[in-house]
Amino acid sequence: SQQGEEDPQALSIQEGENATMNCSYKTSINNLQWYRQNSGRGLVHLILIRSNEREKHSGRLRVTLDTSKKSSSLLITASRAADTASYFCATVNTGGFKTIFGAGTRLFVKA
Amino acid sequence: DTEVTQTPKHLVMGMTNKKSLKCEQHMGHRAMYWYKQKAKKPPELMFVYSYEKLSINESVPSRFSPECPNSSLLNLHLHALQPEDSALYLCASSQGLAGVEQYFGPGTRLTVT
């Protein structure tokens, strides 16, 4: 079963608005990653946050991690039509190599 | 070169056929991965190779047979597939062995008839 669960499953916003996606996971992790996937294509790594970090920024992306609640959020500010994609969180089990992706959030940004 | 290439882009095969998917990276990455992704679902890990050795097999049926001929190439041999195996097959690679910052190829869209 997938470890990461994300909400919302789908999100539709206007260009310029912010988009927030949430991810929950079940086991201990060393880090949590976020990936983007444009329709039917490969995934692109966006950002990684380590278990000892609470917040991380990269351009218009802001990621938070709450290990006590086993949850993370991805905020995309000032969204653009080109941000339309599916966004997945991904975790790797502590001491292992197994990557588990969350269910994903499908973001649609209207121009 | 930060690209992972996959061939073919599309593949249609019958249940009695034998075919292979190919993946290549020239980034010197030490780990390579195969994922299966059904429509509107997240990728599911199938196999992980580290230093050209199979390190993870996620209980994948034997009709899928991975091969890593060298550090740049990863193959997935397909035989006697079922229609439910139709999916997007993604290859990825990473420098480290802990699944961090994986680079994905564009995938092979497989249809089993």
Side-chain angles (χ1 to χ4, degrees):
Chain A
S1 62
Q2 293 297 317
Q3 166 160 270
E5 298 298 326
E6 288 169 79
D7 76 88
Q9 290 186 346
L11 182 60
S12 181
I13 59 175
Q14 292 290 139
E15 216 171 20
E17 294 180 340
N18 296 341
T20 299
M21 291 158 262
N22 303 297
C23 165
S24 62
Y25 58 92
K26 296 177 183 174
T27 63
S28 296
I29 59 171
N30 290 327
N31 56 68
L32 185 142
Q33 306 172 74
W34 285 89
Y35 286 83
R36 184 187 75 227
Q37 183 178 34
N38 290 84
S39 181
R41 306 287 302 277
L43 282 75
V44 174
H45 183 266
L46 295 176
I47 193 167
L48 176 150
I49 186 165
R50 301 189 190 284
S51 59
N52 61 353
E53 297 176 308
R54 291 296 166 258
E55 187 171 313
K56 195 163 183 180
H57 296 255
S58 176
R60 294 184 297 114
L61 305 180
R62 172 178 169 255
V63 171
T64 62
L65 179 64
D66 187 335
T67 53
S68 67
K69 295 181 180 177
K70 291 187 167 55
S71 67
S72 174
S73 68
L74 171 68
L75 168 67
I76 303 174
T77 60
S79 63
R80 305 166 182 167
D83 295 327
T84 294
S86 292
Y87 292 82
F88 296 95
C89 65
T91 57
V92 178
N93 56 319
T94 304
F97 305 106
K98 180 178 175 180
T99 303
I100 300 176
F101 285 87
T105 293
R106 298 172 68 196
L107 174 65
F108 181 66
V109 181
K110 293 177 280 189
Chain B
D1 182 3
T2 59
E3 190 179 21
V4 175
T5 59
Q6 289 188 244
T7 56
K9 285 190 171 65
H10 301 276
L11 178 62
V12 179
M13 59 185 291
M15 290 189 284
T16 58
N17 292 158
K18 286 185 182 181
K19 297 286 185 184
S20 296
L21 309 185
K22 295 183 184 302
C23 173
E24 191 166 4
Q25 57 89 13
H26 294 287
M27 295 175 278
H29 286 176
R30 301 175 292 176
M32 296 186 77
Y33 312 78
W34 279 116
Y35 290 89
K36 173 183 177 180
Q37 186 179 27
K38 301 284 270 186
K40 298 184 181 180
K41 296 291 186 183
E44 292 184 5
L45 185 65
M46 299 174 72
F47 303 103
V48 179
Y49 273 82
S50 53
Y51 289 110
E52 302 167 44
K53 289 188 176 1
L54 184 64
S55 57
I56 292 181
N57 177 341
E58 284 292 293
S59 303
V60 179
S62 59
R63 57 185 184 269
F64 295 91
S65 176
E67 179 195 20
C68 190
N70 60 56
S71 59
S72 299
L73 291 174
L74 189 64
N75 297 322
L76 186 62
H77 302 298
L78 313 173
H79 174 55
L81 295 192
Q82 303 297 310
E84 59 265 28
D85 296 321
S86 298
L88 181 67
Y89 288 84
L90 293 162
C91 173
S93 69
S94 64
Q95 175 61 35
L97 304 179
V100 170
E101 196 173 352
Q102 295 178 41
Y103 286 73
F104 281 79
T108 293
R109 177 75 60 187
L110 173 68
T111 302
V112 181
T113 61

PDB file of all heavy atoms in Angstrom, chain B residues 61-93:
ATOM      1  N   PRO B  61       5.827 -10.107 -10.667  1.00  0.00           N
ATOM      2  CA  PRO B  61       5.681 -11.412 -11.349  1.00  0.00           C
ATOM      3  C   PRO B  61       6.853 -11.689 -12.288  1.00  0.00           C
ATOM      4  O   PRO B  61       7.438 -10.759 -12.862  1.00  0.00           O
ATOM      5  CB  PRO B  61       4.380 -11.237 -12.130  1.00  0.00           C
ATOM      6  CG  PRO B  61       3.626 -10.167 -11.421  1.00  0.00           C
ATOM      7  CD  PRO B  61       4.657  -9.242 -10.859  1.00  0.00           C
ATOM      8  N   SER B  62       7.169 -12.956 -12.452  1.00  0.00           N
ATOM      9  CA  SER B  62       8.345 -13.350 -13.237  1.00  0.00           C
ATOM     10  C   SER B  62       8.202 -13.052 -14.719  1.00  0.00           C
ATOM     11  O   SER B  62       9.189 -13.153 -15.458  1.00  0.00           O
ATOM     12  CB  SER B  62       8.619 -14.840 -13.045  1.00  0.00           C
ATOM     13  OG  SER B  62       7.498 -15.598 -13.463  1.00  0.00           O
ATOM     14  N   ARG B  63       7.016 -12.672 -15.169  1.00  0.00           N
ATOM     15  CA  ARG B  63       6.872 -12.286 -16.566  1.00  0.00           C
ATOM     16  C   ARG B  63       7.576 -10.958 -16.849  1.00  0.00           C
ATOM     17  O   ARG B  63       7.732 -10.563 -17.991  1.00  0.00           O
ATOM     18  CB  ARG B  63       5.398 -12.225 -16.973  1.00  0.00           C
ATOM     19  CG  ARG B  63       4.532 -11.290 -16.142  1.00  0.00           C
ATOM     20  CD  ARG B  63       3.071 -11.432 -16.580  1.00  0.00           C
ATOM     21  NE  ARG B  63       2.196 -10.497 -15.904  1.00  0.00           N
ATOM     22  CZ  ARG B  63       1.558 -10.763 -14.774  1.00  0.00           C
ATOM     23  NH1 ARG B  63       1.734 -11.941 -14.189  1.00  0.00           N
ATOM     24  NH2 ARG B  63       0.766  -9.862 -14.224  1.00  0.00           N
ATOM     25  N   PHE B  64       7.995 -10.267 -15.790  1.00  0.00           N
ATOM     26  CA  PHE B  64       8.847  -9.081 -15.901  1.00  0.00           C
ATOM     27  C   PHE B  64      10.242  -9.489 -15.440  1.00  0.00           C
ATOM     28  O   PHE B  64      10.412  -9.928 -14.300  1.00  0.00           O
ATOM     29  CB  PHE B  64       8.347  -7.941 -15.018  1.00  0.00           C
ATOM     30  CG  PHE B  64       7.012  -7.396 -15.403  1.00  0.00           C
ATOM     31  CD1 PHE B  64       5.850  -7.921 -14.855  1.00  0.00           C
ATOM     32  CD2 PHE B  64       6.907  -6.352 -16.318  1.00  0.00           C
ATOM     33  CE1 PHE B  64       4.615  -7.414 -15.212  1.00  0.00           C
ATOM     34  CE2 PHE B  64       5.679  -5.843 -16.676  1.00  0.00           C
ATOM     35  CZ  PHE B  64       4.526  -6.374 -16.121  1.00  0.00           C
ATOM     36  N   SER B  65      11.231  -9.302 -16.304  1.00  0.00           N
ATOM     37  CA  SER B  65      12.588  -9.720 -15.964  1.00  0.00           C
ATOM     38  C   SER B  65      13.541  -8.557 -16.191  1.00  0.00           C
ATOM     39  O   SER B  65      13.777  -8.163 -17.333  1.00  0.00           O
ATOM     40  CB  SER B  65      12.985 -10.910 -16.834  1.00  0.00           C
ATOM     41  OG  SER B  65      14.323 -11.272 -16.600  1.00  0.00           O
ATOM     42  N   PRO B  66      14.103  -7.984 -15.128  1.00  0.00           N
ATOM     43  CA  PRO B  66      15.017  -6.862 -15.317  1.00  0.00           C
ATOM     44  C   PRO B  66      16.433  -7.340 -15.610  1.00  0.00           C
ATOM     45  O   PRO B  66      16.820  -8.464 -15.273  1.00  0.00           O
ATOM     46  CB  PRO B  66      14.955  -6.162 -13.959  1.00  0.00           C
ATOM     47  CG  PRO B  66      14.744  -7.283 -12.994  1.00  0.00           C
ATOM     48  CD  PRO B  66      13.904  -8.303 -13.710  1.00  0.00           C
ATOM     49  N   GLU B  67      17.182  -6.453 -16.232  1.00  0.00           N
ATOM     50  CA  GLU B  67      18.584  -6.748 -16.535  1.00  0.00           C
ATOM     51  C   GLU B  67      19.360  -5.447 -16.528  1.00  0.00           C
ATOM     52  O   GLU B  67      18.884  -4.437 -17.044  1.00  0.00           O
ATOM     53  CB  GLU B  67      18.692  -7.407 -17.916  1.00  0.00           C
ATOM     54  CG  GLU B  67      20.124  -7.721 -18.341  1.00  0.00           C
ATOM     55  CD  GLU B  67      20.224  -8.026 -19.828  1.00  0.00           C
ATOM     56  OE1 GLU B  67      19.306  -7.644 -20.584  1.00  0.00           O
ATOM     57  OE2 GLU B  67      21.237  -8.606 -20.231  1.00  0.00           O
ATOM     58  N   CYS B  68      20.543  -5.466 -15.960  1.00  0.00           N
ATOM     59  CA  CYS B  68      21.398  -4.279 -15.951  1.00  0.00           C
ATOM     60  C   CYS B  68      22.743  -4.663 -16.561  1.00  0.00           C
ATOM     61  O   CYS B  68      23.660  -5.078 -15.850  1.00  0.00           O
ATOM     62  CB  CYS B  68      21.574  -3.767 -14.527  1.00  0.00           C
ATOM     63  SG  CYS B  68      22.373  -2.156 -14.419  1.00  0.00           S
ATOM     64  N   PRO B  69      22.885  -4.546 -17.891  1.00  0.00           N
ATOM     65  CA  PRO B  69      24.111  -4.994 -18.565  1.00  0.00           C
ATOM     66  C   PRO B  69      25.356  -4.212 -18.155  1.00  0.00           C
ATOM     67  O   PRO B  69      26.455  -4.762 -18.146  1.00  0.00           O
ATOM     68  CB  PRO B  69      23.802  -4.771 -20.051  1.00  0.00           C
ATOM     69  CG  PRO B  69      22.332  -4.590 -20.136  1.00  0.00           C
ATOM     70  CD  PRO B  69      21.886  -4.031 -18.827  1.00  0.00           C
ATOM     71  N   ASN B  70      25.178  -2.923 -17.870  1.00  0.00           N
ATOM     72  CA  ASN B  70      26.295  -2.104 -17.393  1.00  0.00           C
ATOM     73  C   ASN B  70      25.733  -0.917 -16.620  1.00  0.00           C
ATOM     74  O   ASN B  70      24.519  -0.775 -16.478  1.00  0.00           O
ATOM     75  CB  ASN B  70      27.194  -1.654 -18.559  1.00  0.00           C
ATOM     76  CG  ASN B  70      26.457  -0.840 -19.588  1.00  0.00           C
ATOM     77  OD1 ASN B  70      25.854   0.171 -19.261  1.00  0.00           O
ATOM     78  ND2 ASN B  70      26.503  -1.272 -20.842  1.00  0.00           N
ATOM     79  N   SER B  71      26.595  -0.071 -16.156  1.00  0.00           N
ATOM     80  CA  SER B  71      26.168   1.001 -15.248  1.00  0.00           C
ATOM     81  C   SER B  71      25.287   2.040 -15.919  1.00  0.00           C
ATOM     82  O   SER B  71      24.669   2.849 -15.230  1.00  0.00           O
ATOM     83  CB  SER B  71      27.396   1.684 -14.646  1.00  0.00           C
ATOM     84  OG  SER B  71      28.213   2.229 -15.671  1.00  0.00           O
ATOM     85  N   SER B  72      25.215   2.039 -17.247  1.00  0.00           N
ATOM     86  CA  SER B  72      24.425   3.052 -17.946  1.00  0.00           C
ATOM     87  C   SER B  72      23.105   2.523 -18.476  1.00  0.00           C
ATOM     88  O   SER B  72      22.252   3.306 -18.885  1.00  0.00           O
ATOM     89  CB  SER B  72      25.212   3.623 -19.135  1.00  0.00           C
ATOM     90  OG  SER B  72      26.401   4.231 -18.710  1.00  0.00           O
ATOM     91  N   LEU B  73      22.967   1.217 -18.521  1.00  0.00           N
ATOM     92  CA  LEU B  73      21.812   0.615 -19.191  1.00  0.00           C
ATOM     93  C   LEU B  73      20.965  -0.202 -18.244  1.00  0.00           C
ATOM     94  O   LEU B  73      21.479  -0.884 -17.346  1.00  0.00           O
ATOM     95  CB  LEU B  73      22.286  -0.291 -20.332  1.00  0.00           C
ATOM     96  CG  LEU B  73      22.916   0.384 -21.543  1.00  0.00           C
ATOM     97  CD1 LEU B  73      23.456  -0.684 -22.495  1.00  0.00           C
ATOM     98  CD2 LEU B  73      21.913   1.259 -22.248  1.00  0.00           C
ATOM     99  N   LEU B  74      19.669  -0.146 -18.483  1.00  0.00           N
ATOM    100  CA  LEU B  74      18.728  -0.964 -17.718  1.00  0.00           C
ATOM    101  C   LEU B  74      17.670  -1.449 -18.685  1.00  0.00           C
ATOM    102  O   LEU B  74      17.122  -0.664 -19.459  1.00  0.00           O
ATOM    103  CB  LEU B  74      18.080  -0.123 -16.609  1.00  0.00           C
ATOM    104  CG  LEU B  74      17.227  -0.855 -15.578  1.00  0.00           C
ATOM    105  CD1 LEU B  74      18.070  -1.825 -14.761  1.00  0.00           C
ATOM    106  CD2 LEU B  74      16.544   0.153 -14.651  1.00  0.00           C
ATOM    107  N   ASN B  75      17.433  -2.745 -18.673  1.00  0.00           N
ATOM    108  CA  ASN B  75      16.414  -3.320 -19.538  1.00  0.00           C
ATOM    109  C   ASN B  75      15.306  -3.934 -18.694  1.00  0.00           C
ATOM    110  O   ASN B  75      15.523  -4.330 -17.547  1.00  0.00           O
ATOM    111  CB  ASN B  75      17.020  -4.419 -20.432  1.00  0.00           C
ATOM    112  CG  ASN B  75      18.078  -3.902 -21.373  1.00  0.00           C
ATOM    113  OD1 ASN B  75      17.972  -2.807 -21.914  1.00  0.00           O
ATOM    114  ND2 ASN B  75      19.132  -4.691 -21.577  1.00  0.00           N
ATOM    115  N   LEU B  76      14.141  -4.023 -19.308  1.00  0.00           N
ATOM    116  CA  LEU B  76      13.039  -4.761 -18.685  1.00  0.00           C
ATOM    117  C   LEU B  76      12.475  -5.675 -19.754  1.00  0.00           C
ATOM    118  O   LEU B  76      11.892  -5.217 -20.741  1.00  0.00           O
ATOM    119  CB  LEU B  76      11.967  -3.796 -18.168  1.00  0.00           C
ATOM    120  CG  LEU B  76      10.833  -4.447 -17.364  1.00  0.00           C
ATOM    121  CD1 LEU B  76      11.375  -5.111 -16.104  1.00  0.00           C
ATOM    122  CD2 LEU B  76       9.771  -3.415 -16.994  1.00  0.00           C
ATOM    123  N   HIS B  77      12.690  -6.976 -19.579  1.00  0.00           N
ATOM    124  CA  HIS B  77      12.232  -7.960 -20.548  1.00  0.00           C
ATOM    125  C   HIS B  77      10.818  -8.401 -20.163  1.00  0.00           C
ATOM    126  O   HIS B  77      10.533  -8.685 -18.987  1.00  0.00           O
ATOM    127  CB  HIS B  77      13.178  -9.157 -20.576  1.00  0.00           C
ATOM    128  CG  HIS B  77      14.592  -8.780 -20.898  1.00  0.00           C
ATOM    129  ND1 HIS B  77      14.950  -8.206 -22.101  1.00  0.00           N
ATOM    130  CD2 HIS B  77      15.738  -8.869 -20.165  1.00  0.00           C
ATOM    131  CE1 HIS B  77      16.248  -7.967 -22.107  1.00  0.00           C
ATOM    132  NE2 HIS B  77      16.752  -8.359 -20.942  1.00  0.00           N
ATOM    133  N   LEU B  78       9.972  -8.445 -21.195  1.00  0.00           N
ATOM    134  CA  LEU B  78       8.558  -8.718 -20.984  1.00  0.00           C
ATOM    135  C   LEU B  78       8.166  -9.993 -21.715  1.00  0.00           C
ATOM    136  O   LEU B  78       8.534 -10.179 -22.896  1.00  0.00           O
ATOM    137  CB  LEU B  78       7.721  -7.552 -21.522  1.00  0.00           C
ATOM    138  CG  LEU B  78       8.175  -6.140 -21.140  1.00  0.00           C
ATOM    139  CD1 LEU B  78       7.358  -5.099 -21.897  1.00  0.00           C
ATOM    140  CD2 LEU B  78       8.091  -5.939 -19.645  1.00  0.00           C
ATOM    141  N   HIS B  79       7.437 -10.842 -21.054  1.00  0.00           N
ATOM    142  CA  HIS B  79       7.030 -12.109 -21.687  1.00  0.00           C
ATOM    143  C   HIS B  79       5.714 -12.568 -21.084  1.00  0.00           C
ATOM    144  O   HIS B  79       5.557 -12.584 -19.868  1.00  0.00           O
ATOM    145  CB  HIS B  79       8.114 -13.167 -21.477  1.00  0.00           C
ATOM    146  CG  HIS B  79       7.698 -14.522 -21.970  1.00  0.00           C
ATOM    147  ND1 HIS B  79       7.271 -14.763 -23.258  1.00  0.00           N
ATOM    148  CD2 HIS B  79       7.627 -15.716 -21.340  1.00  0.00           C
ATOM    149  CE1 HIS B  79       6.982 -16.036 -23.396  1.00  0.00           C
ATOM    150  NE2 HIS B  79       7.183 -16.642 -22.264  1.00  0.00           N
ATOM    151  N   ALA B  80       4.793 -12.942 -21.959  1.00  0.00           N
ATOM    152  CA  ALA B  80       3.499 -13.493 -21.528  1.00  0.00           C
ATOM    153  C   ALA B  80       2.772 -12.536 -20.592  1.00  0.00           C
ATOM    154  O   ALA B  80       2.291 -12.940 -19.519  1.00  0.00           O
ATOM    155  CB  ALA B  80       3.684 -14.866 -20.872  1.00  0.00           C
ATOM    156  N   LEU B  81       2.709 -11.276 -21.008  1.00  0.00           N
ATOM    157  CA  LEU B  81       2.040 -10.299 -20.166  1.00  0.00           C
ATOM    158  C   LEU B  81       0.528 -10.434 -20.242  1.00  0.00           C
ATOM    159  O   LEU B  81      -0.016 -11.055 -21.161  1.00  0.00           O
ATOM    160  CB  LEU B  81       2.449  -8.885 -20.581  1.00  0.00           C
ATOM    161  CG  LEU B  81       3.910  -8.506 -20.374  1.00  0.00           C
ATOM    162  CD1 LEU B  81       4.101  -7.002 -20.545  1.00  0.00           C
ATOM    163  CD2 LEU B  81       4.429  -8.944 -19.021  1.00  0.00           C
ATOM    164  N   GLN B  82      -0.129  -9.821 -19.278  1.00  0.00           N
ATOM    165  CA  GLN B  82      -1.578  -9.811 -19.204  1.00  0.00           C
ATOM    166  C   GLN B  82      -2.094  -8.405 -19.519  1.00  0.00           C
ATOM    167  O   GLN B  82      -1.371  -7.415 -19.355  1.00  0.00           O
ATOM    168  CB  GLN B  82      -2.021 -10.204 -17.782  1.00  0.00           C
ATOM    169  CG  GLN B  82      -1.496 -11.551 -17.328  1.00  0.00           C
ATOM    170  CD  GLN B  82      -2.034 -12.665 -18.192  1.00  0.00           C
ATOM    171  OE1 GLN B  82      -3.240 -12.752 -18.430  1.00  0.00           O
ATOM    172  NE2 GLN B  82      -1.145 -13.522 -18.693  1.00  0.00           N
ATOM    173  N   PRO B  83      -3.337  -8.289 -19.945  1.00  0.00           N
ATOM    174  CA  PRO B  83      -3.882  -6.951 -20.244  1.00  0.00           C
ATOM    175  C   PRO B  83      -3.756  -5.982 -19.061  1.00  0.00           C
ATOM    176  O   PRO B  83      -3.548  -4.782 -19.270  1.00  0.00           O
ATOM    177  CB  PRO B  83      -5.347  -7.236 -20.576  1.00  0.00           C
ATOM    178  CG  PRO B  83      -5.326  -8.621 -21.138  1.00  0.00           C
ATOM    179  CD  PRO B  83      -4.281  -9.358 -20.343  1.00  0.00           C
ATOM    180  N   GLU B  84      -3.818  -6.482 -17.847  1.00  0.00           N
ATOM    181  CA  GLU B  84      -3.717  -5.597 -16.677  1.00  0.00           C
ATOM    182  C   GLU B  84      -2.305  -5.055 -16.473  1.00  0.00           C
ATOM    183  O   GLU B  84      -2.083  -4.178 -15.623  1.00  0.00           O
ATOM    184  CB  GLU B  84      -4.173  -6.301 -15.394  1.00  0.00           C
ATOM    185  CG  GLU B  84      -3.401  -7.542 -15.040  1.00  0.00           C
ATOM    186  CD  GLU B  84      -4.078  -8.816 -15.548  1.00  0.00           C
ATOM    187  OE1 GLU B  84      -4.806  -8.747 -16.568  1.00  0.00           O
ATOM    188  OE2 GLU B  84      -3.882  -9.874 -14.910  1.00  0.00           O
ATOM    189  N   ASP B  85      -1.360  -5.555 -17.260  1.00  0.00           N
ATOM    190  CA  ASP B  85       0.007  -5.021 -17.207  1.00  0.00           C
ATOM    191  C   ASP B  85       0.149  -3.755 -18.043  1.00  0.00           C
ATOM    192  O   ASP B  85       1.214  -3.118 -18.037  1.00  0.00           O
ATOM    193  CB  ASP B  85       1.023  -6.062 -17.682  1.00  0.00           C
ATOM    194  CG  ASP B  85       1.063  -7.279 -16.783  1.00  0.00           C
ATOM    195  OD1 ASP B  85       0.957  -7.119 -15.547  1.00  0.00           O
ATOM    196  OD2 ASP B  85       1.183  -8.401 -17.323  1.00  0.00           O
ATOM    197  N   SER B  86      -0.868  -3.409 -18.784  1.00  0.00           N
ATOM    198  CA  SER B  86      -0.843  -2.172 -19.563  1.00  0.00           C
ATOM    199  C   SER B  86      -0.683  -0.996 -18.615  1.00  0.00           C
ATOM    200  O   SER B  86      -1.435  -0.854 -17.639  1.00  0.00           O
ATOM    201  CB  SER B  86      -2.137  -2.018 -20.361  1.00  0.00           C
ATOM    202  OG  SER B  86      -2.283  -3.076 -21.282  1.00  0.00           O
ATOM    203  N   ALA B  87       0.297  -0.167 -18.896  1.00  0.00           N
ATOM    204  CA  ALA B  87       0.623   0.941 -17.981  1.00  0.00           C
ATOM    205  C   ALA B  87       1.745   1.770 -18.592  1.00  0.00           C
ATOM    206  O   ALA B  87       2.277   1.436 -19.654  1.00  0.00           O
ATOM    207  CB  ALA B  87       1.062   0.416 -16.617  1.00  0.00           C
ATOM    208  N   LEU B  88       2.117   2.827 -17.893  1.00  0.00           N
ATOM    209  CA  LEU B  88       3.307   3.607 -18.228  1.00  0.00           C
ATOM    210  C   LEU B  88       4.459   3.047 -17.389  1.00  0.00           C
ATOM    211  O   LEU B  88       4.347   2.947 -16.161  1.00  0.00           O
ATOM    212  CB  LEU B  88       3.086   5.083 -17.898  1.00  0.00           C
ATOM    213  CG  LEU B  88       4.226   6.051 -18.210  1.00  0.00           C
ATOM    214  CD1 LEU B  88       4.450   6.186 -19.711  1.00  0.00           C
ATOM    215  CD2 LEU B  88       3.938   7.429 -17.596  1.00  0.00           C
ATOM    216  N   TYR B  89       5.531   2.644 -18.053  1.00  0.00           N
ATOM    217  CA  TYR B  89       6.684   2.113 -17.342  1.00  0.00           C
ATOM    218  C   TYR B  89       7.782   3.164 -17.338  1.00  0.00           C
ATOM    219  O   TYR B  89       8.244   3.618 -18.387  1.00  0.00           O
ATOM    220  CB  TYR B  89       7.152   0.797 -17.977  1.00  0.00           C
ATOM    221  CG  TYR B  89       6.184  -0.310 -17.668  1.00  0.00           C
ATOM    222  CD1 TYR B  89       5.040  -0.487 -18.440  1.00  0.00           C
ATOM    223  CD2 TYR B  89       6.361  -1.131 -16.560  1.00  0.00           C
ATOM    224  CE1 TYR B  89       4.104  -1.463 -18.119  1.00  0.00           C
ATOM    225  CE2 TYR B  89       5.444  -2.112 -16.225  1.00  0.00           C
ATOM    226  CZ  TYR B  89       4.315  -2.262 -17.016  1.00  0.00           C
ATOM    227  OH  TYR B  89       3.386  -3.227 -16.689  1.00  0.00           O
ATOM    228  N   LEU B  90       8.160   3.535 -16.137  1.00  0.00           N
ATOM    229  CA  LEU B  90       9.125   4.617 -15.949  1.00  0.00           C
ATOM    230  C   LEU B  90      10.443   4.070 -15.438  1.00  0.00           C
ATOM    231  O   LEU B  90      10.478   3.219 -14.553  1.00  0.00           O
ATOM    232  CB  LEU B  90       8.582   5.621 -14.926  1.00  0.00           C
ATOM    233  CG  LEU B  90       7.346   6.411 -15.346  1.00  0.00           C
ATOM    234  CD1 LEU B  90       6.665   7.024 -14.129  1.00  0.00           C
ATOM    235  CD2 LEU B  90       7.712   7.494 -16.341  1.00  0.00           C
ATOM    236  N   CYS B  91      11.503   4.587 -15.998  1.00  0.00           N
ATOM    237  CA  CYS B  91      12.847   4.287 -15.531  1.00  0.00           C
ATOM    238  C   CYS B  91      13.381   5.528 -14.827  1.00  0.00           C
ATOM    239  O   CYS B  91      13.061   6.661 -15.204  1.00  0.00           O
ATOM    240  CB  CYS B  91      13.728   3.922 -16.714  1.00  0.00           C
ATOM    241  SG  CYS B  91      15.479   3.724 -16.322  1.00  0.00           S
ATOM    242  N   ALA B  92      14.178   5.333 -13.811  1.00  0.00           N
ATOM    243  CA  ALA B  92      14.782   6.462 -13.098  1.00  0.00           C
ATOM    244  C   ALA B  92      16.186   6.081 -12.666  1.00  0.00           C
ATOM    245  O   ALA B  92      16.538   4.892 -12.592  1.00  0.00           O
ATOM    246  CB  ALA B  92      13.943   6.865 -11.899  1.00  0.00           C
ATOM    247  N   SER B  93      16.978   7.095 -12.371  1.00  0.00           N
ATOM    248  CA  SER B  93      18.319   6.853 -11.837  1.00  0.00           C
ATOM    249  C   SER B  93      18.623   7.898 -10.773  1.00  0.00           C
ATOM    250  O   SER B  93      18.005   8.966 -10.733  1.00  0.00           O
ATOM    251  CB  SER B  93      19.371   6.897 -12.944  1.00  0.00           C
ATOM    252  OG  SER B  93      19.526   8.217 -13.460  1.00  0.00           O
TER     253      SER B  93
END
